[in-house]
Amino acid sequence: MGKISGKFQLEPDGFSIHTFEVTKKLSGKEYRKLVDETYCRCPPGQIYRDKTWQGAGERHRCKWFQREGLRISFEQDIHHQVVSCRLRIAVNPRKLIDPNSSYVGILPPTEESVGAVSKAFFIALKKSGLPCVLDAYQLSRVDLCVNVRCDSTALFKELLRVTRKLPTPPKYERAEFKSEDRRAANKYNRHHITLKHKSRELVIYDKTYQIIENGLLLDEEKLPKGVLRFEVHELRERISKVEKELGTSSVTSLLCHYIGQSERIITRCFGRAYPDKKFMQPDRLRSLIHAEADTAVGDGMARLAEVMVRVKTLKKGVKKIGKEGYDAEAVLAQFARLGVSPVPLRKNFCAESMPGVSVLLERIAHRNVQIWYK
């Protein structure tokens, strides 16, 4: 039987920004005035008090400009009898520029796009009574993003599965969705990987699944077989360091900077988090170990690869072979030297091998990535 190929390729917008968040500190008087006026101006049901707010204080959520990609909230936080008030706006810049755009699309990576966002922000809010100049706010979060399209459902789902088995990188915590509906939670977590750090978050997920599951598919929109989305969320602590480096806190200047640096930041962050360069089928992985590995650790490598067929995480697999007397640290070092992951692809999977996340992102920035399979 001849071989055919599956292809990973960049979506047209390349590496850019998907979402950003801005905040503005308010005095107690300003806060009360804006909240009261917004309740008066908003259509019925478009603003409400958020009952999920924890601790002292309050939060009001406003859906008035949701179609334009703006999610607005007013927050009053009380900590040790100190009251702080702020206006927070999460912005989907692609939707702000064009409310009819697909949820797959992100902000086109140009300075002109940032200018269009600033102008659309002003137009959307100028009659709302809220501050409408983008640079009057502080950038509190920016989500860098790249969408990778795949023309084979099997390939992109398997890449997500084996990546999910890899260990949580140092300094990060793995966040999983939890719900009383365990089946729904498990289904969600099969399609998402979220790693959290105090100043940054890394996310990989099946964008096609998310769009369909949340009813975000536009009329007559035809999705590709699979879109893997990679996101790096830069939080306020890291943004403040960039402000010092650039000598500016202008939101538009920072957005231009992050657009220009998005490819470098995304490839570097995921490269460090997931250094495994290649995944292989079990039989081919065993053959490589037999041919290339140092004899002293070869048995341990073969045993780890065997264990990883059944266990859910590499951490559990390493713990198991350690209890069996193998030098787990030496085994992992040898896999790294060979440039291959100890997590095997499914037995008889259509492709004999696949690039890891780090290699995929490095290559996809410059050319399509082809995978040959039966």
Side-chain angles (χ1 to χ4, degrees):
M1 182 183 294
K3 288 189 173 183
I4 56 177
S5 68
K7 183 169 61 179
F8 289 97
Q9 66 184 90
L10 278 182
E11 283 288 295
D13 296 322
F15 293 79
S16 188
I17 292 172
H18 167 252
T19 309
F20 64 90
E21 181 184 87
V22 292
T23 59
K24 185 171 179 59
K25 291 183 179 180
L26 303 171
S27 67
K29 186 176 180 180
E30 289 172 329
Y31 171 83
R32 194 75 267 154
K33 180 173 181 290
L34 284 179
V35 170
D36 290 345
E37 288 181 350
T38 305
Y39 268 95
C40 290
R41 293 170 185 262
C42 261
Q46 292 298 295
I47 184 170
Y48 59 95
R49 183 165 181 165
D50 185 358
K51 295 180 181 179
T52 66
W53 178 263
Q54 296 180 349
E58 62 182 23
R59 175 166 60 197
H60 300 267
R61 292 190 179 275
C62 175
K63 302 189 294 182
W64 192 4
F65 300 98
Q66 197 162 291
R67 186 177 181 276
E68 287 81 8
L70 302 179
R71 288 182 287 116
I72 300 170
S73 60
F74 303 90
E75 300 171 1
Q76 183 188 72
D77 194 14
I78 303 174
H79 188 65
H80 295 310
Q81 297 184 329
V82 176
V83 180
S84 59
C85 303
R86 68 182 62 84
L87 167 61
R88 186 184 304 275
I89 305 179
V91 182
N92 181 328
R94 181 68 175 258
K95 281 288 181 182
L96 181 59
I97 295 172
D98 178 11
N100 295 314
S101 63
S102 165
Y103 280 90
V104 174
I106 59 177
L107 183 67
T110 64
E111 290 189 10
E112 289 77 14
S113 292
V114 176
V117 168
S118 180
K119 182 178 179 181
F121 187 88
F122 179 85
I123 292 171
L125 295 181
K126 67 178 181 180
K127 294 182 180 179
S128 69
L130 303 177
C132 57
V133 176
L134 189 57
D135 279 340
Y137 291 79
Q138 179 185 69
L139 186 66
S140 55
R141 168 174 166 162
V142 59
D143 295 357
L144 310 180
C145 174
V146 61
N147 289 313
V148 178
R149 175 191 295 246
C150 185
D151 59 9
S152 166
T153 302
L155 290 180
F156 91 87
K157 285 188 174 180
E158 182 68 356
L159 178 59
L160 194 57
R161 185 190 74 85
V162 290
T163 302
R164 202 168 56 245
K165 284 194 173 191
L166 296 176
T168 303
K171 299 182 180 181
Y172 284 90
E173 292 183 1
R174 190 181 293 260
E176 293 197 339
F177 174 68
K178 294 181 180 179
S179 169
E180 293 181 358
D181 186 341
R182 187 173 295 180
R183 289 184 63 185
N186 289 338
K187 185 178 180 182
Y188 178 92
N189 290 322
R190 282 198 302 271
H191 294 85
H192 291 73
I193 300 171
T194 301
L195 305 174
K196 291 195 172 187
H197 180 270
K198 64 178 183 178
S199 63
R200 174 180 279 157
E201 297 172 355
L202 306 183
V203 185
I204 310 173
Y205 66 98
D206 177 352
K207 185 63 181 178
T208 41
Y209 163 81
Q210 188 233 14
I211 286 176
I212 294 170
E213 192 75 6
N214 293 319
L216 301 176
L217 190 66
L218 301 181
D219 292 341
E220 301 181 3
E221 181 180 11
K222 187 175 181 181
L223 291 175
K225 290 187 176 179
V227 173
L228 267 181
R229 172 167 282 185
F230 298 85
E231 296 184 2
V232 175
H233 304 164
E234 297 280 275
L235 307 182
R236 179 60 204 165
E237 181 179 322
R238 199 165 288 272
I239 292 171
S240 65
K241 293 179 181 179
V242 174
E243 289 177 343
K244 290 178 182 178
E245 291 172 5
L246 299 180
T248 180
S249 59
S250 158
V251 174
T252 52
S253 296
L254 290 168
L255 293 178
C256 288
H257 166 80
Y258 275 113
I259 281 179
Q261 296 296 311
S262 57
E263 180 185 326
R264 182 186 67 83
I265 294 172
I266 290 171
T267 54
R268 185 189 65 190
C269 288
F270 281 102
R272 289 177 176 175
Y274 294 112
D276 298 54
K277 296 185 182 302
K278 183 189 288 188
F279 297 100
M280 302 175 73
Q281 278 191 17
D283 290 345
R284 191 172 175 193
L285 184 54
R286 279 192 293 270
S287 296
L288 177 70
I289 292 168
H290 179 73
E292 300 290 340
D294 294 341
T295 306
V297 293
D299 290 346
M301 294 175 72
R303 177 59 179 149
L304 180 57
E306 180 185 3
V307 167
M308 287 311 303
V309 172
R310 297 187 300 276
V311 301
K312 290 185 176 181
T313 67
L314 184 57
K315 184 178 180 179
K316 290 181 179 179
V318 168
K319 185 177 181 180
K320 183 172 179 60
I321 68 164
K323 287 182 177 180
E324 294 174 0
Y326 295 104
D327 186 341
E329 188 174 329
V331 165
L332 292 176
Q334 190 76 286
F335 272 113
R337 185 183 71 81
L338 295 180
V340 64
S341 177
V343 179
L345 300 171
R346 295 184 194 274
K347 187 177 181 180
N348 299 322
F349 179 64
C350 60
E352 292 182 346
S353 67
M354 289 182 66
V357 163
S358 59
V359 173
L360 175 64
L361 288 174
E362 287 172 5
R363 292 180 180 173
I364 206 78
H366 307 288
R367 63 183 185 277
N368 295 338
V369 176
Q370 271 190 317
I371 310 293
W372 293 94
Y373 60 93
K374 296 177 182 178

